[in-house]
Amino acid sequence: MTARILVVDDVPANVKLLEARLLAEYFDVLTAGDGQSALAICEKTPVDLVLLDIMMPGMDGFEVCERLKANSRTAHIPVVMVTALDQPSDRVRGLKAGADDFLTKPVNDLQLMSRVKSLVRLKNVSDELRLRAQTAHTIGLQDLARPDRPDEPGNILLVDARASSQERLLRALKPIADVSIISDPQAALFEAAESNFDLVIVNANFDDYDPLRLCSQLRSLERTRFIPILLVTEQGRDEMVVRALELGVTDYVMRPVDPNELVARTLTQIRRKHCNDRLRASVQQTIELAITDDLTGLHNRRYLDNHLKLLMDRAAARGRPLSICITDIDRFKHINDTYGHDAGDEVLREFANRVRATVRGADLACRFGGEEFVIVMPDTTPEMAAIVAERLRLMVESRAFAIPQADTVHPVTASLGISSLRADGDTPEALLKRADMALYQAKNNGRNRVVAAAA
Ligand code: GH3
Ligand code: MG
């Protein structure tokens, strides 16, 4: 993981110390000795994380944080406030100023690295989302270009053996999330796999159960491996924390738990989970958009070009038949000319619906171009294909198409050409070409008919 981290502190020795540790982990480090220059750096350079001291002459850390969060160009940069242990009120102020997390002086390595890595991971996914939103906006896909949504409340599973600590943690978490509580770790694993949690908090307080066992099981199950895990553990159990982080536990808090710290870390993990979920959904959506025809919702030509070869190879390998049908609406130009382009679009949509209603689930229906559609039918002989094509022809002819723009209906017919896979070697281009020639025949023979290519 590489990231650019800005260390802000007015005491040069403190800056040097943090800088050295971060450099040792191969982070890229920038430094600032006061609030003004920190703000200037964040404006000018891409920064992935700010480690911010509170007590500084002139502008203090709270104000720097508030200003960063108020500026749309820097609001997305995570801020970690470096606070003194004996000043719990600083954390409340820090949260109000928009801080994402806290580090306590003197800063220990484990804390430093887990906080930094956790927030840099969050920044990476949210950056990717912002980038995609930008691209989507540029190419006019408003649906994908939604700006960052406000934080949605999270769903937390709290695994905790003791009623007293359950109570205490619940009090801190209730204002920011829906919390389910389970005391038995095995039951918790099932619950996590069954429901949709954004975070599992594991309190390491079981009498004779190793909490890391649950963490590792959560990491290995398909249904739970993307859920962040926050471990709550005893002060001084550093070796357990190190093992937990190695296992893929996302973050930790030490007992006695400071509610503000718990809230900050919980919010970070929930945000990251939501960002990740949206990222995965957006990848899925992008794929669907790339292979779908906008107007009709059928697959588009790009998809057919890629998929037809696969279907043909599979049929050939199994010695199964495969047929395709190209269909073209008759005198479609006339519909456009009479009722307008929008009415034409409406007819295309309805035509696609009738195609969809005719074919089986295993068939592949695509919009090939303007008013031309292709249906690929695996496991279908030429005779069967002729029956399907005839059924579609009738479906189109039998019921006139609604033209809402002119408040009328219009009779529509289509011509269809079919061709079938040759056993002695065939290509998608040749198969399509034969169906296209048959379609041309159907048009020549008077339209509104099915013609099969010669075998
Ligand atoms: P034929 O029976 O010989 O197929 O005659 P036709 O009028 O259907 O064929 P032609 O190729 O002459 O015209 C097709 C028209 O389809 C021309 C084009 O403007 C129109 N078209 C292509 N794509 C779209 C579309 O997405 N929406 C609309 N409304 N019209 C389209
Ligand atoms: Mg036509």
Side-chain angles (χ1 to χ4, degrees):
M1 184 187 309
T2 169
R4 181 175 295 158
I5 299 174
L6 173 63
V7 179
V8 191
D9 199 312
D10 60 313
V11 181
N14 290 349
V15 174
K16 283 268 160 285
L17 200 70
L18 285 176
E19 186 182 19
R21 286 164 168 187
L22 292 166
L23 285 173
E25 294 283 328
Y26 306 104
F27 287 106
D28 187 4
V29 184
L30 303 174
T31 61
D34 60 82
Q36 282 297 354
S37 35
L39 291 175
I41 291 173
C42 289
E43 274 273 345
K44 280 200 309 272
T45 359
V47 168
D48 296 310
L49 181 87
V50 181
L51 290 180
L52 186 57
D53 183 36
I54 290 178
M55 296 280 281
M56 291 186 291
M59 196 189 298
D60 68 11
F62 298 121
E63 191 176 344
V64 175
C65 185
E66 272 162 13
R67 291 201 185 192
L68 283 173
K69 296 294 176 181
N71 179 346
S72 65
R73 277 195 302 253
T74 55
H76 61 278
I77 307 174
V79 175
V80 178
M81 300 219 118
V82 185
T83 67
L85 190 59
D86 55 354
Q87 297 290 321
S89 59
D90 280 357
R91 300 186 176 192
V92 180
R93 275 194 71 190
L95 274 182
K96 288 212 174 99
D100 296 273
D101 209 335
F102 308 98
L103 278 174
T104 307
K105 282 183 186 174
V107 177
N108 86 32
D109 263 341
L110 192 57
Q111 273 188 27
L112 177 66
M113 286 313 151
S114 54
R115 291 308 81 94
V116 166
K117 285 183 179 169
S118 174
L119 285 166
V120 166
R121 276 191 213 109
L122 167 62
K123 172 119 185 337
N124 285 343
V125 285
S126 61
D127 279 356
E128 178 66 27
L129 270 177
R130 288 189 311 130
L131 200 68
R132 278 174 200 227
Q134 238 172 38
T135 309
H137 189 79
T138 314
I139 61 174
L141 298 174
Q142 304 305 340
D143 256 15
L144 290 182
R146 274 171 308 206
D148 279 352
R149 273 182 256 158
D151 287 333
E152 298 154 34
N155 254 325
I156 301 177
L157 177 63
L158 171 62
V159 193
D160 189 320
R162 305 208 178 117
S164 55
S165 55
Q166 287 178 0
E167 175 86 15
R168 234 173 301 125
L169 296 181
L170 181 63
R171 211 176 309 131
L173 296 170
K174 222 174 167 175
I176 56 159
D178 289 334
V179 188
S180 311
I181 305 177
I182 288 193
S183 16
D184 175 54
Q186 280 315 305
L189 183 64
F190 282 111
E191 183 63 20
E194 289 299 314
S195 317
N196 259 328
F197 290 107
D198 299 308
L199 174 67
V200 178
I201 300 181
V202 179
N203 198 349
N205 61 4
F206 306 102
D207 282 334
D208 40 30
Y209 180 84
D210 179 0
L212 295 191
R213 189 181 172 80
L214 172 61
C215 298
S216 122
Q217 285 173 327
L218 284 167
R219 272 296 152 268
S220 54
L221 280 189
E222 176 68 27
R223 290 270 303 137
T224 57
R225 67 197 170 97
F226 293 125
I227 311 177
I229 305 172
L230 183 70
L231 184 71
V232 182
T233 175
E234 211 62 59
Q235 199 72 247
R237 296 295 306 274
D238 281 11
E239 83 299 338
M240 180 196 245
V241 172
V242 171
R243 270 207 299 143
L245 295 173
E246 279 168 4
L247 276 176
V249 167
T250 348
D251 206 349
Y252 71 96
V253 226
M254 295 277 190
R255 284 197 290 264
V257 174
D258 171 359
N260 297 303
E261 214 179 289
L262 179 67
V263 163
R265 262 154 232 171
T266 299
L267 284 176
T268 295
Q269 296 310 330
I270 292 173
R271 259 179 223 145
R272 179 165 151 236
K273 173 70 164 44
H274 286 169
C275 280
N276 270 323
D277 289 351
R278 282 164 57 198
L279 208 52
R280 268 194 291 277
S282 121
V283 169
Q284 190 59 36
Q285 222 174 344
T286 310
I287 293 170
E288 275 161 22
L289 276 172
I291 61 172
T292 308
D293 170 50
D294 267 358
L295 182 70
T296 63
L298 293 179
H299 285 295
N300 60 16
R301 175 150 192 180
R302 181 188 298 143
Y303 186 73
L304 178 77
D305 286 345
N306 287 297
H307 206 61
L308 179 56
K309 172 98 175 73
L310 246 75
L311 292 174
M312 288 172 71
D313 288 348
R314 201 170 63 186
R318 296 178 184 173
R320 305 289 305 166
L322 174 145
S323 298
I324 68 167
C325 168
I326 299 189
T327 168
D328 183 292
I329 303 177
D330 296 330
R331 312 270 188 228
F332 183 66
K333 198 170 166 306
H334 174 72
I335 297 173
N336 273 339
D337 292 348
T338 314
Y339 305 108
H341 198 86
D342 287 351
D345 284 357
E346 197 58 47
V347 168
L348 288 172
R349 266 189 222 108
E350 173 58 19
F351 191 87
N353 286 341
R354 296 193 194 187
V355 169
R356 250 192 292 263
T358 312
V359 303
R360 300 168 309 172
D363 299 338
L364 169 66
C366 311
R367 181 164 176 221
F368 197 53
E371 18 84 77
E372 231 181 332
F373 297 79
V374 171
I375 305 163
V376 182
M377 295 168 277
D379 274 324
T380 305
T381 60
E383 297 74 26
M384 271 309 298
I387 294 171
V388 174
E390 180 57 24
R391 195 163 69 213
L392 176 58
R393 192 197 63 75
L394 258 175
M395 272 272 251
V396 174
E397 185 190 31
S398 62
R399 205 156 30 89
F401 283 51
I403 310 280
Q405 286 81 358
D407 201 14
T408 182
V409 295
H410 187 88
V412 174
T413 62
S415 301
L416 305 94
I418 50 187
S419 66
S420 298
L421 183 67
R422 280 191 172 149
D424 55 351
D426 212 341
T427 64
E429 296 73 31
L431 184 68
L432 282 164
K433 176 91 188 150
R434 294 200 301 279
D436 201 42
M437 304 261 283
L439 170 64
Y440 182 74
Q441 270 294 305
K443 291 275 184 194
N444 266 350
N445 296 355
R447 298 186 168 77
N448 190 22
R449 67 196 60 217
V450 178
V451 171

